[in-house]
Amino acid sequence: MYFFLSILSLLDLSYATTTVPQMLVHLISKNKTISYAGCVVQMYIFLTLGITETWIFAAMAYDRYVAICHPLHYGVQMSQTLCLLLAVSSVLCGLICALVYTVFAMNLPYCGPNEINHFFCEIPAVLKLACADTSLNDQVDFILGFILLLIPLSLILASYIRIFTAILKIRSTQGRIKAFSTCASHITVVTMFCIPCMIMYMRPGSETSPDDDKKLALFYNVISAFLNPIIYSLRNKDVKRAFLKLLRMSEDAQ
């Protein structure tokens, strides 16, 4: 579990670093520009990290499934080799699929004015600048969105159906609570990240609103990455104890 959590932390850190620094610079600077090459690189890295994260979520769900449903075989089934294989395959999927997204988007003609109504170079915002039919891109986005979002989510859902079935068979209430608490943080994080991504990338470009796109992107790019460490840390008893102590101190101060 901690192997995948470390990868998730690295992805969240890189994910936010790809877009937030430039976003902050543009908020305080009058020169709000980005080069064509910079836009392509930002788009590709952002997509690579995002796609990789969805498959890491699926790997984490499988890890929880084995830990709860087959605890005696956990050390054998979730071997170091398998963990590395899942991590590497997730990264490779991200690299390849992000390349397809980026190539299809940047092969369109852009006649100007090249003003992106967004915080960064995200595909839905960039496609609005194209002076050509983007229906093919919409179809590619939907197909890739289906593969890269719905398939991992289906695997996660299948894992948790088996997990909840196993939890219900546990006789002690304390055992059920303990088993469920190991899954609650993962379910929360997956929901916060994947649902906004599905809305963003699986709807036709004609139905998108720039303001809504900005809010969604801000949520799964910045807020989700900010909340993930907090959500997972609250499972730690020492962190819980310190948090409750801080709440009591604030109440006493009032």
Side-chain angles (χ1 to χ4, degrees):
M1 180 179 68
Y2 290 107
F3 171 74
F4 290 117
L5 280 177
S6 62
I7 295 176
L8 181 64
S9 299
L10 180 62
L11 287 171
D12 284 337
L13 180 63
S14 304
Y15 204 55
T17 306
T18 305
T19 57
V20 173
Q22 187 181 48
M23 186 194 309
L24 296 176
V25 169
H26 286 172
L27 288 175
I28 62 175
S29 173
K30 292 182 179 179
N31 185 23
K32 307 179 191 298
T33 60
I34 183 171
S35 65
Y36 180 84
C39 185
V40 173
V41 170
Q42 185 185 61
M43 182 187 297
Y44 179 70
I45 294 175
F46 180 81
L47 287 168
T48 299
L49 295 170
I51 294 167
T52 302
E53 189 159 330
T54 59
W55 287 101
I56 290 294
F57 283 142
M60 292 173 73
Y62 178 71
D63 173 73
R64 292 298 82 209
Y65 159 72
V66 177
I68 293 173
C69 298
H70 305 283
L72 298 179
H73 300 109
Y74 181 77
V76 176
Q77 291 192 24
M78 291 304 296
S79 63
Q80 187 176 9
T81 302
L82 178 61
C83 290
L84 287 172
L85 182 63
L86 289 172
V88 170
S89 59
S90 298
V91 173
L92 288 176
C93 181
L95 289 169
I96 295 170
C97 294
L99 183 63
V100 175
Y101 264 119
T102 306
V103 168
F104 268 89
M106 304 317 290
N107 273 341
L108 292 170
Y110 295 94
C111 309
N114 294 329
E115 296 179 2
I116 301 173
N117 189 8
H118 211 307
F119 300 121
F120 59 96
C121 288
E122 191 167 30
I123 282 188
V126 173
L127 289 180
K128 290 182 180 295
L129 305 180
C131 48
D133 182 21
T134 60
S135 58
L136 177 61
N137 295 76
D138 289 338
Q139 293 174 13
V140 171
D141 290 352
F142 181 83
I143 294 169
L144 286 178
F146 180 85
I147 296 171
L148 304 174
L149 287 170
L150 291 185
I151 292 180
L153 282 175
S154 299
L155 295 174
I156 292 169
L157 181 62
S159 298
Y160 277 110
I161 289 173
R162 298 293 299 273
I163 287 171
F164 291 144
T165 302
I167 289 175
L168 292 174
K169 293 178 181 179
I170 299 174
R171 294 183 178 180
S172 67
T173 304
Q174 187 176 2
R176 290 181 182 180
I177 294 172
K178 185 177 179 181
F180 181 75
S181 67
T182 63
C183 305
S185 52
H186 181 247
I187 294 172
T188 304
V189 168
V190 168
T191 303
M192 288 195 313
F193 181 82
C194 291
I195 299 302
C197 287
M198 286 177 64
I199 297 172
M200 176 72 82
Y201 284 94
M202 294 189 67
R203 59 181 175 174
S206 58
E207 297 180 9
T208 60
S209 164
D211 291 336
D212 291 342
D213 286 352
K214 290 177 188 177
K215 293 173 185 175
L216 286 170
L218 193 64
F219 188 84
Y220 67 74
N221 181 23
V222 180
I223 298 175
S224 178
F226 172 75
L227 291 177
N228 283 359
I230 299 173
I231 293 169
Y232 279 108
S233 296
L234 288 176
R235 289 186 58 246
N236 186 288
K237 291 181 179 179
D238 293 331
V239 175
K240 283 183 181 178
R241 198 177 298 116
F243 181 69
L244 292 172
K245 184 179 179 180
L246 184 64
L247 286 178
R248 283 195 294 268
M249 288 174 61
S250 63
E251 289 175 358
D252 294 340
Q254 291 177 356

